Amino acid sequence: MSDTLRAPHAPLLDLVDGSGLAEEIEAYLATLPAPARPSRPYVSPLGSTLQPWNAGYPLPRRTLLDRVVRRPARPADVTVAGHLTLTSRYLTAHGWLQGAMWDAAGRVCLLGAQAAVLAHGYGTPYTVRRARAQVMEVLHATGRPVDSPDAYNDHPTTTRADVHQLLAHAATRALHLGI
């Protein structure tokens, strides 16, 4: 049996007879493209960028007629699920509060966040009423029978995370209902 033909369990180095075959293989492998890396999200070493609470939603724009007659822009169309998502984002951006609609620092309660989203031109009062109905449905379905979402917001055991989770469940419910 020759030195280059050994059993399959023999180490690779034993197969090389010093004729330059190893260098030739390494040169060939160097010309091949690098293997694909596993897909991982890119994380910038410089940090992250904050996005506005209304990112991904169109800004309400005043038309020329709106400017001439000095009226506010027409509200941007937002679904009930979109309104609940924006409410949660607004709470994240400005802070959450219990016992008042807003404070001097800009923090808001659940109702204050919904009012702020509406005041920024997202949806209509009808959208807000339907969104509050979805929140009430989730509260009652999860065994928290309260008179209003505001009573739940102001309950001493309620946390900011509870409010965000409530809004997420209500948004999911509204999305499944197509509203």
Side-chain angles (χ1 to χ4, degrees), residues 41-79:
Y42 174 73
V43 178
S44 172
L46 303 175
S48 61
T49 303
L50 291 177
Q51 291 188 341
W53 63 271
N54 56 353
Y57 288 86
L59 291 173
R61 301 258 185 230
R62 292 176 63 193
T63 64
L64 179 60
L65 183 59
D66 291 335
R67 286 186 218 125
V68 167
V69 296
R70 295 185 181 162
R71 66 181 178 202
R74 184 173 169 210
D77 283 336
V78 175
T79 63

Short mmCIF file of all heavy atoms in Angstrom, two decimals, residues 41-79:
data_model
loop_
_atom_site.label_atom_id
_atom_site.label_comp_id
_atom_site.label_asym_id
_atom_site.label_seq_id
_atom_site.Cartn_x
_atom_site.Cartn_y
_atom_site.Cartn_z
N PRO A 41 -29.20 40.26 13.39
CA PRO A 41 -29.44 41.69 13.18
C PRO A 41 -28.18 42.49 13.44
O PRO A 41 -27.37 42.14 14.30
CB PRO A 41 -30.53 42.02 14.20
CG PRO A 41 -30.43 40.95 15.22
CD PRO A 41 -29.92 39.73 14.51
N TYR A 42 -28.02 43.55 12.68
CA TYR A 42 -26.87 44.41 12.84
C TYR A 42 -27.09 45.31 14.05
O TYR A 42 -28.13 45.94 14.20
CB TYR A 42 -26.68 45.28 11.59
CG TYR A 42 -25.57 46.30 11.77
CD1 TYR A 42 -24.25 45.92 11.77
CD2 TYR A 42 -25.87 47.64 11.95
CE1 TYR A 42 -23.23 46.85 11.95
CE2 TYR A 42 -24.88 48.58 12.12
CZ TYR A 42 -23.56 48.18 12.11
OH TYR A 42 -22.56 49.10 12.29
N VAL A 43 -26.12 45.33 14.92
CA VAL A 43 -26.16 46.21 16.08
C VAL A 43 -25.01 47.18 15.94
O VAL A 43 -23.85 46.80 15.90
CB VAL A 43 -26.03 45.41 17.40
CG1 VAL A 43 -26.02 46.35 18.58
CG2 VAL A 43 -27.14 44.39 17.51
N SER A 44 -25.35 48.45 15.84
CA SER A 44 -24.34 49.47 15.64
C SER A 44 -23.52 49.65 16.91
O SER A 44 -24.07 49.74 18.01
CB SER A 44 -25.01 50.80 15.28
OG SER A 44 -24.05 51.83 15.27
N PRO A 45 -22.22 49.73 16.78
CA PRO A 45 -21.39 49.98 17.97
C PRO A 45 -21.56 51.40 18.50
O PRO A 45 -21.15 51.70 19.61
CB PRO A 45 -19.97 49.73 17.47
CG PRO A 45 -20.03 49.95 16.01
CD PRO A 45 -21.41 49.55 15.58
N LEU A 46 -22.19 52.27 17.71
CA LEU A 46 -22.37 53.67 18.12
C LEU A 46 -23.67 53.90 18.88
O LEU A 46 -23.96 55.01 19.28
CB LEU A 46 -22.32 54.56 16.88
CG LEU A 46 -21.05 54.45 16.04
CD1 LEU A 46 -21.15 55.28 14.79
CD2 LEU A 46 -19.83 54.84 16.87
N GLY A 47 -24.50 52.86 19.02
CA GLY A 47 -25.76 53.02 19.73
C GLY A 47 -26.95 52.91 18.80
O GLY A 47 -26.82 52.51 17.65
N SER A 48 -28.12 53.23 19.30
CA SER A 48 -29.33 53.12 18.50
C SER A 48 -29.94 54.51 18.29
O SER A 48 -29.59 55.47 18.95
CB SER A 48 -30.34 52.22 19.20
OG SER A 48 -30.69 52.77 20.45
N THR A 49 -30.87 54.58 17.36
CA THR A 49 -31.53 55.82 17.02
C THR A 49 -32.95 55.79 17.57
O THR A 49 -33.67 54.82 17.35
CB THR A 49 -31.58 56.02 15.50
OG1 THR A 49 -30.27 55.97 15.00
CG2 THR A 49 -32.23 57.31 15.14
N LEU A 50 -33.33 56.81 18.27
CA LEU A 50 -34.70 56.90 18.75
C LEU A 50 -35.61 57.28 17.59
O LEU A 50 -35.27 58.11 16.76
CB LEU A 50 -34.82 57.97 19.83
CG LEU A 50 -34.15 57.66 21.16
CD1 LEU A 50 -34.30 58.84 22.11
CD2 LEU A 50 -34.76 56.42 21.78
N GLN A 51 -36.76 56.62 17.54
CA GLN A 51 -37.74 56.94 16.52
C GLN A 51 -38.90 57.66 17.18
O GLN A 51 -39.21 57.40 18.34
CB GLN A 51 -38.24 55.68 15.84
CG GLN A 51 -37.20 55.01 14.97
CD GLN A 51 -37.81 53.88 14.17
OE1 GLN A 51 -38.87 53.38 14.48
NE2 GLN A 51 -37.12 53.48 13.13
N PRO A 52 -39.55 58.55 16.46
CA PRO A 52 -40.71 59.23 17.05
C PRO A 52 -41.83 58.24 17.31
O PRO A 52 -41.92 57.19 16.68
CB PRO A 52 -41.10 60.26 15.99
CG PRO A 52 -40.45 59.82 14.75
CD PRO A 52 -39.26 58.99 15.12
N TRP A 53 -42.71 58.58 18.23
CA TRP A 53 -43.78 57.67 18.62
C TRP A 53 -44.73 57.38 17.45
O TRP A 53 -45.38 56.36 17.43
CB TRP A 53 -44.55 58.23 19.82
CG TRP A 53 -45.25 59.54 19.54
CD1 TRP A 53 -44.73 60.78 19.70
CD2 TRP A 53 -46.57 59.72 19.03
NE1 TRP A 53 -45.65 61.73 19.33
CE2 TRP A 53 -46.79 61.10 18.92
CE3 TRP A 53 -47.60 58.86 18.67
CZ2 TRP A 53 -47.98 61.63 18.46
CZ3 TRP A 53 -48.79 59.39 18.22
CH2 TRP A 53 -48.97 60.76 18.12
N ASN A 54 -44.80 58.26 16.47
CA ASN A 54 -45.71 58.08 15.35
C ASN A 54 -44.99 57.57 14.09
O ASN A 54 -45.50 57.72 12.98
CB ASN A 54 -46.46 59.37 15.04
CG ASN A 54 -45.53 60.53 14.77
OD1 ASN A 54 -44.32 60.44 14.93
ND2 ASN A 54 -46.10 61.65 14.36
N ALA A 55 -43.82 56.98 14.24
CA ALA A 55 -43.06 56.46 13.10
C ALA A 55 -43.89 55.41 12.36
O ALA A 55 -44.51 54.55 12.97
CB ALA A 55 -41.74 55.85 13.57
N GLY A 56 -43.90 55.51 11.05
CA GLY A 56 -44.64 54.55 10.23
C GLY A 56 -46.06 54.97 9.92
O GLY A 56 -46.75 54.32 9.15
N TYR A 57 -46.53 56.03 10.54
CA TYR A 57 -47.88 56.53 10.29
C TYR A 57 -47.77 57.88 9.58
O TYR A 57 -46.88 58.67 9.90
CB TYR A 57 -48.65 56.69 11.61
CG TYR A 57 -49.05 55.37 12.21
CD1 TYR A 57 -48.18 54.67 13.04
CD2 TYR A 57 -50.27 54.80 11.93
CE1 TYR A 57 -48.53 53.44 13.58
CE2 TYR A 57 -50.64 53.58 12.47
CZ TYR A 57 -49.77 52.91 13.29
OH TYR A 57 -50.11 51.69 13.82
N PRO A 58 -48.66 58.15 8.64
CA PRO A 58 -48.55 59.41 7.90
C PRO A 58 -48.84 60.61 8.79
O PRO A 58 -49.69 60.55 9.67
CB PRO A 58 -49.63 59.27 6.81
CG PRO A 58 -50.63 58.33 7.39
CD PRO A 58 -49.84 57.37 8.25
N LEU A 59 -48.10 61.67 8.57
CA LEU A 59 -48.35 62.91 9.31
C LEU A 59 -49.57 63.61 8.73
O LEU A 59 -49.73 63.70 7.51
CB LEU A 59 -47.15 63.85 9.20
CG LEU A 59 -45.88 63.43 9.92
CD1 LEU A 59 -44.75 64.38 9.58
CD2 LEU A 59 -46.13 63.40 11.41
N PRO A 60 -50.47 64.10 9.57
CA PRO A 60 -51.58 64.89 9.05
C PRO A 60 -51.03 66.17 8.42
O PRO A 60 -50.27 66.89 9.04
CB PRO A 60 -52.42 65.20 10.29
CG PRO A 60 -52.00 64.21 11.31
CD PRO A 60 -50.57 63.89 11.01
N ARG A 61 -51.38 66.43 7.18
CA ARG A 61 -50.86 67.60 6.45
C ARG A 61 -52.01 68.55 6.11
O ARG A 61 -53.07 68.13 5.66
CB ARG A 61 -50.20 67.16 5.14
CG ARG A 61 -49.05 66.21 5.34
CD ARG A 61 -47.76 66.96 5.18
NE ARG A 61 -46.65 66.02 5.24
CZ ARG A 61 -45.62 66.21 6.02
NH1 ARG A 61 -45.53 67.26 6.77
NH2 ARG A 61 -44.64 65.33 6.04
N ARG A 62 -51.76 69.82 6.31
CA ARG A 62 -52.75 70.82 5.94
C ARG A 62 -52.67 71.09 4.46
O ARG A 62 -51.60 71.33 3.91
CB ARG A 62 -52.50 72.11 6.72
CG ARG A 62 -52.77 71.96 8.21
CD ARG A 62 -52.43 73.19 8.98
NE ARG A 62 -53.28 74.30 8.56
CZ ARG A 62 -53.05 75.56 8.88
NH1 ARG A 62 -52.02 75.87 9.63
NH2 ARG A 62 -53.84 76.50 8.47
N THR A 63 -53.81 71.07 3.80
CA THR A 63 -53.87 71.40 2.38
C THR A 63 -53.90 72.91 2.23
O THR A 63 -54.02 73.66 3.21
CB THR A 63 -55.13 70.79 1.74
OG1 THR A 63 -56.29 71.39 2.34
CG2 THR A 63 -55.18 69.29 1.90
N LEU A 64 -53.83 73.36 1.00
CA LEU A 64 -53.90 74.80 0.73
C LEU A 64 -55.24 75.36 1.21
O LEU A 64 -55.28 76.43 1.83
CB LEU A 64 -53.70 75.07 -0.76
CG LEU A 64 -53.77 76.53 -1.19
CD1 LEU A 64 -52.70 77.35 -0.47
CD2 LEU A 64 -53.62 76.66 -2.69
N LEU A 65 -56.32 74.63 0.97
CA LEU A 65 -57.64 75.07 1.42
C LEU A 65 -57.68 75.14 2.95
O LEU A 65 -58.26 76.08 3.52
CB LEU A 65 -58.73 74.14 0.90
CG LEU A 65 -60.16 74.52 1.25
CD1 LEU A 65 -60.50 75.90 0.71
CD2 LEU A 65 -61.13 73.48 0.72
N ASP A 66 -57.07 74.18 3.64
CA ASP A 66 -57.01 74.21 5.10
C ASP A 66 -56.32 75.48 5.57
O ASP A 66 -56.75 76.13 6.53
CB ASP A 66 -56.25 73.00 5.66
CG ASP A 66 -57.00 71.70 5.46
OD1 ASP A 66 -58.24 71.73 5.36
OD2 ASP A 66 -56.33 70.64 5.40
N ARG A 67 -55.25 75.86 4.89
CA ARG A 67 -54.51 77.06 5.29
C ARG A 67 -55.31 78.33 5.00
O ARG A 67 -55.29 79.27 5.79
CB ARG A 67 -53.17 77.11 4.56
CG ARG A 67 -52.19 76.12 5.12
CD ARG A 67 -50.82 76.27 4.50
NE ARG A 67 -50.28 74.94 4.32
CZ ARG A 67 -49.85 74.43 3.20
NH1 ARG A 67 -49.82 75.15 2.10
NH2 ARG A 67 -49.40 73.20 3.15
N VAL A 68 -56.00 78.35 3.86
CA VAL A 68 -56.77 79.54 3.49
C VAL A 68 -57.90 79.79 4.48
O VAL A 68 -58.11 80.91 4.92
CB VAL A 68 -57.31 79.41 2.04
CG1 VAL A 68 -58.36 80.47 1.74
CG2 VAL A 68 -56.17 79.47 1.04
N VAL A 69 -58.63 78.75 4.83
CA VAL A 69 -59.76 78.93 5.76
C VAL A 69 -59.35 78.75 7.22
O VAL A 69 -60.20 78.77 8.11
CB VAL A 69 -60.94 77.98 5.41
CG1 VAL A 69 -61.50 78.31 4.05
CG2 VAL A 69 -60.54 76.55 5.53
N ARG A 70 -58.06 78.60 7.44
CA ARG A 70 -57.47 78.52 8.78
C ARG A 70 -58.13 77.46 9.65
O ARG A 70 -58.62 77.72 10.74
CB ARG A 70 -57.54 79.87 9.47
CG ARG A 70 -56.70 80.86 8.75
CD ARG A 70 -56.63 82.15 9.46
NE ARG A 70 -55.81 83.04 8.63
CZ ARG A 70 -55.79 84.31 8.73
NH1 ARG A 70 -56.53 84.92 9.61
NH2 ARG A 70 -55.03 85.03 7.94
N ARG A 71 -58.08 76.22 9.13
CA ARG A 71 -58.59 75.10 9.90
C ARG A 71 -57.49 74.06 10.04
O ARG A 71 -56.52 74.06 9.28
CB ARG A 71 -59.82 74.49 9.21
CG ARG A 71 -59.53 73.86 7.87
CD ARG A 71 -60.78 73.31 7.24
NE ARG A 71 -60.44 72.74 5.94
CZ ARG A 71 -61.31 72.56 4.97
NH1 ARG A 71 -62.57 72.90 5.13
NH2 ARG A 71 -60.92 72.03 3.83
N PRO A 72 -57.62 73.18 11.01
CA PRO A 72 -56.59 72.16 11.19
C PRO A 72 -56.60 71.15 10.04
O PRO A 72 -57.57 71.07 9.28
CB PRO A 72 -56.97 71.49 12.51
CG PRO A 72 -58.38 71.84 12.75
CD PRO A 72 -58.66 73.12 12.02
N ALA A 73 -55.55 70.41 9.95
CA ALA A 73 -55.46 69.38 8.92
C ALA A 73 -56.49 68.29 9.17
O ALA A 73 -56.91 68.06 10.30
CB ALA A 73 -54.07 68.76 8.92
N ARG A 74 -56.89 67.66 8.09
CA ARG A 74 -57.81 66.54 8.19
C ARG A 74 -57.09 65.40 8.92
O ARG A 74 -55.92 65.13 8.66
CB ARG A 74 -58.21 66.10 6.79
CG ARG A 74 -59.23 65.03 6.76
CD ARG A 74 -59.67 64.80 5.34
NE ARG A 74 -60.45 63.59 5.31
CZ ARG A 74 -60.54 62.80 4.28
NH1 ARG A 74 -59.89 63.08 3.18
NH2 ARG A 74 -61.27 61.72 4.33
N PRO A 75 -57.78 64.70 9.85
CA PRO A 75 -57.10 63.63 10.60
C PRO A 75 -56.61 62.52 9.67
O PRO A 75 -57.25 62.20 8.66
CB PRO A 75 -58.19 63.09 11.53
CG PRO A 75 -59.26 64.10 11.54
CD PRO A 75 -59.16 64.88 10.27
N ALA A 76 -55.47 61.95 10.03
CA ALA A 76 -54.95 60.81 9.29
C ALA A 76 -55.80 59.59 9.61
O ALA A 76 -56.20 59.40 10.76
CB ALA A 76 -53.50 60.55 9.67
N ASP A 77 -56.09 58.80 8.59
CA ASP A 77 -56.87 57.59 8.81
C ASP A 77 -56.06 56.59 9.61
O ASP A 77 -54.94 56.24 9.23
CB ASP A 77 -57.28 56.96 7.48
CG ASP A 77 -58.43 57.68 6.81
OD1 ASP A 77 -59.19 58.35 7.53
OD2 ASP A 77 -58.56 57.57 5.58
N VAL A 78 -56.62 56.16 10.72
CA VAL A 78 -55.97 55.19 11.59
C VAL A 78 -57.03 54.18 12.01
O VAL A 78 -58.15 54.56 12.36
CB VAL A 78 -55.37 55.88 12.84
CG1 VAL A 78 -54.80 54.87 13.81
CG2 VAL A 78 -54.30 56.86 12.45
N THR A 79 -56.67 52.92 11.96
CA THR A 79 -57.59 51.89 12.43
C THR A 79 -57.63 51.91 13.96
O THR A 79 -56.81 52.56 14.60
CB THR A 79 -57.13 50.50 11.97
OG1 THR A 79 -55.86 50.21 12.55
CG2 THR A 79 -57.04 50.41 10.45
#
